[in-house]
Amino acid sequence: KDLEENWGPAPGTLNTNGEELLVFGKEFGNIFIGVQPTFGYEGDPMRLLFSKSASPHHGFAAYYTYVEHIFRADAVLHFGTHGSLEFMPGKQVGMSDSCYPDSLIGSIPNLYYYAANNPSEATIAKRRSYANTMSYLTPPAENAGLYKGLKELSELVASYQGMRESSRGIAIVNTVVEKARQCNLDRDVTLPEEDAKDLTLDVRDGIIGSVYKKLIEIESRLLPCGLHVVGCPPSAEEAIATLVNIASIDRPELEPPILGLPNIIATAVGRNIEDVYRNSDKGVLEDVQLLQDITMACREAVQDFVSESVSKDGRIDTGFVDIIGRLAGKKEDPWVTALQGTPFASADKPEMKKVFDYLNFCLQQVVKDAELDSLLKALRGEYVEPGPGGDPIRNPDVLPTGKNIHALDPQAIPTSAAVQSAQVVVERLIERQKADNGGQYPETIALVLWGTDNIKTYGESLAQVMLMVGVRPKPDALGRVNKLELIPIEELGRPRIDVVVNCSGVFRDLFVNQMNLLDRAIKLAAEQENESLDMNFVRKHALEQAEEMGVSVRQAATRIFSNASGSYSSNVNLAVENSSWNDEAQLQDMYLKRKSFAFDSDTPGAGMSESRDIFEKALKTVDATFQNLDSSEISLTDVSHYFDSDPTNLVQSLREDGKKPSSFIADTTTANAQVRTLSETVRLDARTKLLNPKWYEGMLASGYEGAREIQKRLTNTMGWSATSGQVDNWVYEDVNMVFMEDEEMKDRLMETNPASFRKMVATMLEANGRGYWDTSEENLERLRQLYQEVEDKIEGVE
């Protein structure tokens, strides 16, 4: 009956031939491999606008009915992150038979392979569909490297170093500037219009330093190459990139405490690594080069450390991985040898040994293969060892994979270390916004809180919100973070920044105590009657909105929003993925309808209440939008969630002056945290992944699914055009050149996955049709013909 209210009488229109319900899959004796149905409303713009999610459709219910009652499965293995079962409507926790996840999974034991770096959604699967979530390793990571024009530019920069004061050096600067423009770096680096001969040596050094810094940023970015194969340990090369990044982080929480490798190496030449980071960020050529030398020394040391453990096929030899034990009688450790003949040869050996003892432990965990063993144990009904989920670089305790994932104690965050890290990001964010806004402080920042990010970082983005409004979280005697301390304006040294916080549905489910804490913190700031409104934007806006709406200041200071209970996402991502939207106003309406449910700490237990008026009024004051990237595996275009929660264009449509807010992304994936604009980050993503031969060749090597991953990145890139307008035209031009114009690449995609290639061609045509890509009629005509070709191939037309 409930299904018919949403979908009409059975069999409906989905997963059916009109008379029967269809279950897609294939039986192999005692094994049935099936494709889980979709939510069903992805292509229906009217359903996407509903503020609450619909019931499963008839075909979805039939699928699980078939698995349990007709095929009579003894267990089900959900494979991949994530599915739609656990996100069906129902209670957030404590399922009953009226909740769809409970009624669909029935009595079947639910085993679930889940990405180790996604503990928040794994927790939802555990709570809402009773899953035993066994972790699998994220795809192997490598440095992005440089290619084509970027590689040529790097060679020019290297040649400048020895000729900087000569006439040849001047000519090289002119060539670098020209080449940088050809590589579309002029939006990322300030390039001069005048001839280099009219510039001073310091200015020329600054230009080269800024270009070099950008090239290093691209080259060193970690990216997943290909897809992970369950039960297949990483190659030596893959392990090195991960280990270098593990070694780069200071770990004061360990016993004994460990300094990061860059810190130790910088100290060897009398420098503080933080100073080197700061100067490199400013494009100071000498320190850009020093930081690159330090990075290369780290890679060499780790390379030499790992090289002795490589078996003939290039994989880590698990039989000989205890390198430190084998080297006990050796005269010099390999990491010491690696630094000989460099300026860093005097690096502190005891500190280095602590780092490599730790890396040896990490390497052994990386190569352990517990993933298949855990599945076999679970199928036998045996105990699967639990372990934390998260980023293996930040928290190597996530390794080895194959553990039954758990998250953390939500009442223990944000930790003091997370507050310190958050302070750095908040300061850099405000500095960046002031620099781009004529020295003016932002009055309101709209930001997103994700469940997984806060688990991985122990609450860094939670702490960011509190620090923006000038409130410090404090633990009680038992270590539970449930107290607040107002930071005096004199200590804060700046105004209290107002916030509009959009919590993901997963965050809402996992961190209700923290939502309570945030709401109390914002209302505490709003009630500071003795502070000047010029120094307290939270109170300034709350007073204006209270008068306008006829409510109390506390009610007007409501700033914590999410979906209705039991619903997830704004559905903007589904609309974009299925091209089921008319215009950007429709996407913005979806966002407002689905994300305008407020949390109120003054009414405990009441859940989320629809508060669209105050949501819109708060968004009208936003000067900047902001999100966090916290791990190298997932960036802006890897998943659709980031643009799904982006309100940049929405804020512009709501602001009375029609001004587009600034958009920033904090990147804390390395020891040197960065705050970049959204457009900078989208360009960085495009250069290091979608347009990077190392990335797309790695994906194509994984076959059908790898081609689909390429298509997903392109779709998500267009999603950013739709929600923010921050994708440069050259990104689409280069995509067209790499994947559509190249005959060999076109044929490979057509053979590997014609359905995904058709979607890529359609996305390019859609990007042009919606005004996101300006190109020649010749390109468009070729794409139209190409669409017909791939359509014919799929239909079997000769």
Side-chain angles (χ1 to χ4, degrees):
K1 183 180 175 184
D2 289 342
L3 270 57
E4 288 186 355
E5 283 181 15
N6 283 288
W7 302 99
T13 58
L14 298 162
N15 294 53
T16 177
N17 60 9
E19 297 179 1
E20 303 161 301
L21 286 162
L22 305 178
V23 174
F24 297 110
K26 190 171 177 65
E27 290 184 19
F28 298 88
N30 290 339
I31 297 173
F32 166 70
I33 298 178
V35 180
Q36 187 186 61
T38 62
F39 286 106
Y41 49 72
E42 294 89 344
D44 185 339
M46 294 310 297
R47 288 185 187 278
L48 291 174
L49 280 166
F50 293 164
S51 62
K52 297 183 180 181
S53 299
S55 70
H57 56 82
H58 298 291
F60 201 104
Y63 182 85
Y64 282 93
T65 301
Y66 171 83
V67 170
E68 182 174 14
H69 297 291
I70 299 174
F71 184 72
R72 296 184 181 278
D74 296 308
V76 62
L77 171 66
H78 285 96
F79 199 113
T81 308
H82 58 78
S84 40
L85 169 70
E86 61 267 31
F87 290 101
M88 284 292 172
K91 287 184 286 183
Q92 292 168 214
V93 291
M95 299 290 106
S96 62
D97 57 6
S98 62
C99 301
Y100 288 113
D102 177 283
S103 55
L104 288 165
I105 196 64
S107 60
I108 316 174
N110 184 11
L111 315 179
Y112 209 145
Y113 267 136
Y114 226 89
N117 66 343
N118 196 348
S120 64
E121 290 182 335
T123 303
I124 297 297
K126 198 180 292 284
R127 287 181 177 179
R128 302 188 87 240
S129 65
Y130 318 126
N132 177 334
T133 51
M134 300 164 293
S135 65
Y136 62 81
L137 202 60
T138 47
E142 292 183 31
N143 295 108
L146 298 174
Y147 54 92
K148 298 179 184 175
L150 295 172
K151 193 169 186 178
E152 294 171 28
L153 197 51
S154 176
E155 290 164 0
L156 283 168
V157 168
S159 69
Y160 172 80
Q161 305 276 34
M163 307 180 191
R164 48 191 287 273
E165 297 189 49
S166 67
S167 58
R168 180 77 183 116
I170 293 171
I172 291 171
V173 172
N174 283 329
T175 309
V176 164
V177 169
E178 182 185 349
K179 194 71 186 174
R181 286 202 173 96
Q182 291 172 8
C183 293
N184 300 296
L185 288 176
D186 49 325
R187 290 279 312 274
D188 300 282
V189 178
T190 303
L191 299 173
E193 295 298 328
E194 59 265 57
D195 194 292
K197 70 176 188 298
D198 300 324
L199 305 174
T200 66
L201 178 60
D202 284 348
V203 172
R204 294 198 298 267
D205 282 356
I207 293 163
I208 297 295
S210 296
V211 171
Y212 194 15
K213 173 205 163 233
K214 181 55 65 175
L215 291 172
I216 291 170
E217 188 177 75
I218 295 167
E219 187 279 333
S220 62
R221 195 166 176 83
L222 272 193
L223 54 86
C225 283
L227 301 171
H228 175 62
V229 178
V230 171
C232 184
S235 73
E237 197 64 36
E238 292 157 1
I240 286 165
T242 300
L243 291 171
V244 168
N245 280 269
I246 289 174
S248 297
I249 301 172
D250 289 349
R251 300 183 186 273
E253 73 281 1
L254 295 180
E255 191 54 51
I258 294 174
L259 292 175
L261 209 47
N263 196 339
I264 298 168
I265 291 175
T267 303
V269 290
R271 294 297 302 276
N272 180 300
I273 191 64
E274 291 299 326
D275 293 339
V276 178
Y277 286 149
R278 296 293 73 73
N279 287 340
S280 177
D281 290 346
K282 293 172 186 172
V284 176
L285 181 57
E286 184 182 350
D287 279 1
V288 174
Q289 184 61 59
L290 175 59
L291 184 55
Q292 178 66 349
D293 291 344
I294 290 170
T295 302
M296 296 312 292
C298 291
R299 290 183 191 174
E300 284 290 326
V302 176
Q303 172 82 57
D304 286 7
F305 162 70
V306 172
S307 61
E308 299 193 24
S309 68
V310 181
S311 58
K312 289 177 183 176
D313 65 355
R315 300 212 160 260
I316 301 295
D317 188 341
T318 53
F320 298 97
V321 80
D322 188 5
I323 302 165
I324 288 183
R326 288 195 292 129
L327 294 173
K330 223 177 167 186
K331 190 172 182 183
E332 287 287 9
D333 293 315
W335 54 89
V336 174
T337 308
L339 298 184
Q340 286 174 355
T342 74
F344 315 118
S346 63
D348 189 318
K349 289 182 182 179
E351 287 295 340
M352 293 271 285
K353 187 169 189 312
K354 283 198 287 185
V355 173
F356 282 93
D357 281 348
Y358 184 63
L359 285 189
N360 185 56
F361 164 76
C362 294
L363 180 58
Q364 293 186 60
Q365 303 313 303
V366 168
V367 301
K368 279 184 183 173
D369 178 17
E371 293 172 352
L372 292 174
D373 187 48
S374 294
L375 174 60
L376 294 174
K377 282 182 178 177
L379 287 170
R380 291 194 294 262
E382 296 174 8
Y383 178 72
V384 176
E385 183 184 348
D391 178 5
I393 290 171
R394 280 178 181 264
N395 179 17
D397 288 343
V398 167
L399 304 169
T401 45
K403 295 174 181 173
N404 189 350
I405 302 174
H406 64 72
L408 43 67
D409 176 4
Q411 294 190 77
I413 65 169
T415 62
S416 57
V419 174
Q420 288 176 9
S421 299
Q423 182 72 50
V424 173
V425 170
V426 169
E427 287 172 2
R428 291 183 187 174
L429 170 63
I430 293 171
E431 281 172 23
R432 186 71 195 264
Q433 169 65 359
K434 281 178 67 183
D436 293 355
N437 200 35
Q440 297 292 311
Y441 282 100
E443 292 202 8
T444 308
I445 295 174
L447 66 162
V448 184
L449 293 183
W450 299 102
T452 287
D453 293 12
N454 279 284
I455 292 171
K456 289 180 188 173
T457 65
Y458 297 92
E460 276 183 25
S461 52
L462 266 172
Q464 289 167 6
V465 176
M466 295 188 209
L467 292 172
M468 284 176 192
V469 300
V471 174
R472 192 177 285 122
K474 304 291 283 185
D476 64 12
L478 298 175
R480 297 171 302 191
V481 183
N482 55 20
K483 293 158 61 175
L484 298 167
E485 176 183 89
L486 193 76
I487 303 171
I489 289 289
E490 298 73 31
E491 182 185 338
L492 197 59
R494 59 163 173 83
R496 301 189 193 281
I497 310 294
D498 199 0
V499 292
V500 184
V501 183
N502 171 242
C503 302
S504 73
V506 174
F507 183 95
R508 173 206 62 209
D509 289 359
L510 300 185
F511 294 112
V512 66
N513 290 339
Q514 276 60 35
M515 290 173 75
N516 183 294
L517 198 65
L518 289 174
D519 189 59
R520 285 166 46 209
I522 294 162
K523 288 172 176 173
L524 176 63
E527 292 181 325
Q528 297 309 303
E529 298 177 2
N530 59 339
E531 292 180 355
S532 160
L533 298 185
D534 291 339
M535 295 300 288
N536 187 336
F537 298 137
V538 187
R539 182 165 177 77
K540 174 186 173 182
H541 297 152
L543 286 170
E544 292 168 356
Q545 290 150 8
E547 185 176 350
E548 199 175 334
M549 298 177 68
V551 297
S552 69
V553 170
R554 279 186 74 82
Q555 284 177 287
T558 297
R559 296 290 186 269
I560 310 299
F561 299 92
S562 186
N563 294 83
S565 299
S567 293
Y568 303 84
S569 147
S570 72
N571 283 351
V572 168
N573 57 345
L574 297 178
V576 169
E577 287 164 9
N578 293 276
S579 302
S580 52
W581 54 292
N582 299 323
D583 53 27
E584 290 178 9
Q586 189 180 48
L587 297 181
Q588 292 161 16
D589 199 27
M590 284 178 201
Y591 187 98
L592 288 170
K593 281 188 174 177
R594 291 186 57 88
K595 286 292 186 181
S596 57
F597 290 79
F599 179 87
D600 185 358
S601 58
D602 295 334
T603 55
M608 310 299 291
S609 60
E610 191 161 15
S611 306
R612 180 161 170 169
D613 280 354
I614 185 61
F615 188 42
E616 288 194 24
K617 283 181 169 47
L619 285 171
K620 283 181 181 181
T621 68
V622 167
D623 295 307
T625 62
F626 177 63
Q627 294 201 52
N628 286 279
L629 293 177
D630 63 274
S631 69
S632 55
E633 305 104 344
I634 300 176
S635 191
L636 287 189
T637 58
D638 292 325
V639 292
S640 60
H641 302 67
Y642 287 118
F643 76 77
D644 179 72
S645 291
D646 173 56
T648 304
N649 282 353
L650 169 60
V651 168
Q652 182 180 15
S653 73
L654 291 174
R655 282 184 63 114
E656 290 175 5
D657 60 6
K659 180 184 175 184
K660 178 168 281 195
S662 305
S663 298
F664 297 104
I665 304 293
D667 181 346
T668 58
T669 59
T670 66
N672 182 21
Q674 301 284 317
V675 173
R676 303 186 184 94
T677 64
L678 173 56
S679 59
E680 282 175 325
T681 311
V682 170
R683 288 193 291 275
L684 184 61
D685 248 28
R687 288 183 176 115
T688 54
K689 290 186 178 171
L690 187 57
L691 301 172
N692 185 351
K694 182 183 276 191
W695 182 81
Y696 61 69
E697 289 295 346
M699 284 300 170
L700 286 171
S702 297
Y704 180 92
E705 183 63 17
R708 194 174 77 90
E709 289 292 319
I710 296 171
Q711 172 256 306
K712 277 170 55 182
R713 297 314 184 288
L714 178 57
T715 303
N716 293 339
T717 298
M718 196 188 75
W720 281 109
S721 289
T723 63
S724 72
Q726 299 293 306
V727 183
D728 294 352
N729 198 70
W730 68 262
V731 173
Y732 293 111
E733 281 290 322
D734 282 15
V735 167
N736 182 59
M737 185 172 65
V738 170
F739 298 107
M740 313 296 169
E741 288 184 3
D742 185 301
E743 287 294 323
E744 184 184 347
M745 176 60 74
K746 181 191 76 172
D747 292 344
R748 289 170 69 192
L749 287 166
M750 190 99 80
E751 289 301 317
T752 305
N753 187 336
S756 285
F757 187 48
R758 177 177 59 181
K759 174 65 174 169
M760 287 179 72
V761 177
T763 300
M764 295 298 287
L765 289 168
E766 184 180 356
N768 172 260
R770 295 190 185 275
Y772 303 142
W773 175 37
D774 182 22
T775 192
S776 67
E777 184 58 35
E778 180 187 353
N779 279 340
L780 295 173
E781 186 54 37
R782 186 191 305 107
L783 287 172
R784 293 183 194 110
Q785 291 176 3
L786 192 52
Y787 188 88
Q788 191 58 53
E789 279 180 45
V790 69
E791 185 86 351
D792 288 348
K793 180 176 178 61
I794 291 170
E795 296 294 332
V797 177
E798 291 297 328

